[in-house]
C-alpha cells in the first residue's frame, strides 16, 4: 500500500551549496528543510527549480536538476504520494540514463532501486523484480570503485528479500550467491555486516 511504500524510499539527495549558480536561490535545493517550510510546499518549490534547469547542458545546472528530482521524489513518497514519486524517479532514469558522470549514474541506479522498493511495497512484485534487474548490470559495469557499491549491495539484498516473500527460494539463494561473489572479501564494517546478513539469510533459505 502507499503507506508502506513510504518506508521503502531512500534518503533525500545531497544538497550542496549552490550559491553563485545564475538565477538559482539556495532555498530551492534545501526545500522543505528551509525555516518555515514544509513537505507540502516542497514539491512546488522543486518544480520551479526543475523548470529552470531541465534543458541545461552545463555541469552545475544538470547536477541541480539531478538533486532536485531525487529530492522531490523522496518528499512525495514521504507525503504518501508514492505513485507520483515513481513518476519522478522515472524522470531521473530517462534524463540521465546515458550519462557517463559517476554522480549521475549513481542517481539513476538509486532511482531504479528506490522505484523497485516502492513497487514491492505496493505489491507490484513483477514490476519490482524487473526494475531491480535493471540496477545490477548498470552498476556491475562500473568497475574500479568509481561508484558507491552500497547501492549495488542494497539492490541484491532487497531483491533477495522480495524473492523470499514470494517463496521463490532457489532464485533467492542465487541472488545471495551473486552478492557474495561481489562482496565476500570486503573489509569495510558496513559491507561486512551485509555479508553476514546475506550468509545468514542464505542459510535460512537452504534450511
Amino acid at each position: 500500500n502507499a503507506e508502506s511504500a513510504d518506508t521503502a524510499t531512500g534518503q533525500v539527495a545531497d544538497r550542496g551549496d549552490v550559491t553563485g549558480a545564475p538565477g538559482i536561490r539556495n532555498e530551492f535545493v534545501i526545500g522543505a528543510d528551509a525555516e518555515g517550510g514544509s513537505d507540502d510546499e516542497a514539491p512546488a518549490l522543486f518544480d520551479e527549480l526543475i523548470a529552470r534547469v531541465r534543458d541545461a547542458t552545463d555541469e552545475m545546472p544538470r547536477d541541480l536538476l539531478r538533486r532536485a528530482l531525487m529530492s522531490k521524489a523522496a518528499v512525495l513518497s514521504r507525503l504518501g504520494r508514492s505513485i507520483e514519486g515513481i513518476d519522478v524517479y522515472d524522470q531521473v532514469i530517462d534524463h540521465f540514463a546515458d550519462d557517463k558522470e559517476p554522480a549521475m549514474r549513481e542517481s539513476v541506479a538509486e532511482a531504479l532501486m528506490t522505484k523497485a522498493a516502492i513497487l514491492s511495497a505496493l505489491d507490484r512484485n513483477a514490476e519490482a523484480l524487473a526494475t531491480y534487474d535493471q540496477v545490477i548490470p548498470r552498476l556491475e559495469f562500473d568497475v574500479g570503485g568509481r561508484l558507491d557499491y552500497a547501492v549495488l549491495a542494497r539492490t541484491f539484498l532487497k531483491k533477495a528479500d522480495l524473492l523470499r516473500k514470494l517463496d521463490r527460494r532457489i532464485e533467492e539463494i542465487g541472488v545471495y550467491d551473486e552478492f557474495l561473489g561481489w562482496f565476500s572479501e570486503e573489509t569495510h564494517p558496513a559491507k561486512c555486516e551485509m555479508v553476514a546478513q546475506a550468509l545468514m539469510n542464505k542459510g535460512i533459505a537452504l534450511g
Side-chain angles (χ1 to χ4, degrees):
N1 56 46
E3 183 177 354
S4 62
D6 300 343
T7 62
T9 58
Q11 295 180 344
V12 175
D14 58 292
R15 302 184 181 98
D17 182 15
V18 295
T19 304
I24 304 298
R25 302 195 307 273
N26 210 40
E27 62 264 30
F28 280 125
V29 181
I30 60 176
D33 293 337
E35 185 177 353
S38 70
D39 273 358
D40 290 326
E41 299 167 351
L45 194 63
F46 288 128
D47 282 342
E48 187 177 346
L49 171 59
I50 291 163
R52 292 191 183 198
V53 300
R54 180 176 293 279
D55 297 323
T57 56
D58 293 342
E59 183 176 341
M60 181 180 285
R62 282 177 57 75
D63 188 60
L64 282 173
L65 176 60
R66 171 185 69 86
R67 288 187 283 142
L69 287 168
M70 292 294 286
S71 297
K72 180 184 176 183
V75 168
L76 286 169
S77 295
R78 280 209 305 269
L79 292 170
R81 294 159 61 180
S82 298
I83 303 301
E84 293 173 75
I86 288 174
D87 289 341
V88 180
Y89 284 124
D90 282 338
Q91 291 179 49
V92 175
I93 296 160
D94 292 343
H95 200 88
F96 298 108
D98 298 324
D99 204 300
K100 303 303 181 186
E101 176 66 29
M104 306 300 185
R105 292 177 62 79
E106 230 173 274
S107 287
V108 171
E110 186 81 37
L112 284 164
M113 184 191 70
T114 309
K115 174 185 174 180
I118 296 171
L119 289 167
S120 175
L122 294 171
D123 291 325
R124 292 164 59 177
N125 296 316
E127 293 173 78
L129 287 171
T131 305
Y132 281 133
D133 284 341
Q134 293 179 59
V135 183
I136 293 169
R138 175 174 293 277
L139 290 178
E140 283 179 334
F141 284 112
D142 284 286
V143 296
R146 291 192 298 272
L147 293 181
D148 181 0
Y149 279 87
V151 177
L152 179 60
R154 295 202 311 272
T155 298
F156 276 124
L157 295 179
K158 285 177 179 289
K159 180 183 177 184
D161 186 59
L162 177 54
L163 289 167
R164 177 186 59 78
K165 291 176 182 176
L166 296 174
D167 200 25
R168 292 163 59 172
R169 290 195 175 188
I170 293 177
E171 292 170 83
E172 177 193 357
I173 291 167
V175 174
Y176 290 133
D177 286 340
E178 283 187 80
F179 173 87
L180 293 168
W182 271 94
F183 297 104
S184 60
E185 304 299 322
E186 283 287 344
T187 57
H188 188 280
K191 291 187 180 133
C192 286
E193 185 177 341
M194 287 191 282
V195 168
Q197 179 186 340
L199 286 167
M200 181 179 68
N201 290 349
K202 180 182 176 182
I204 293 170
L206 286 168

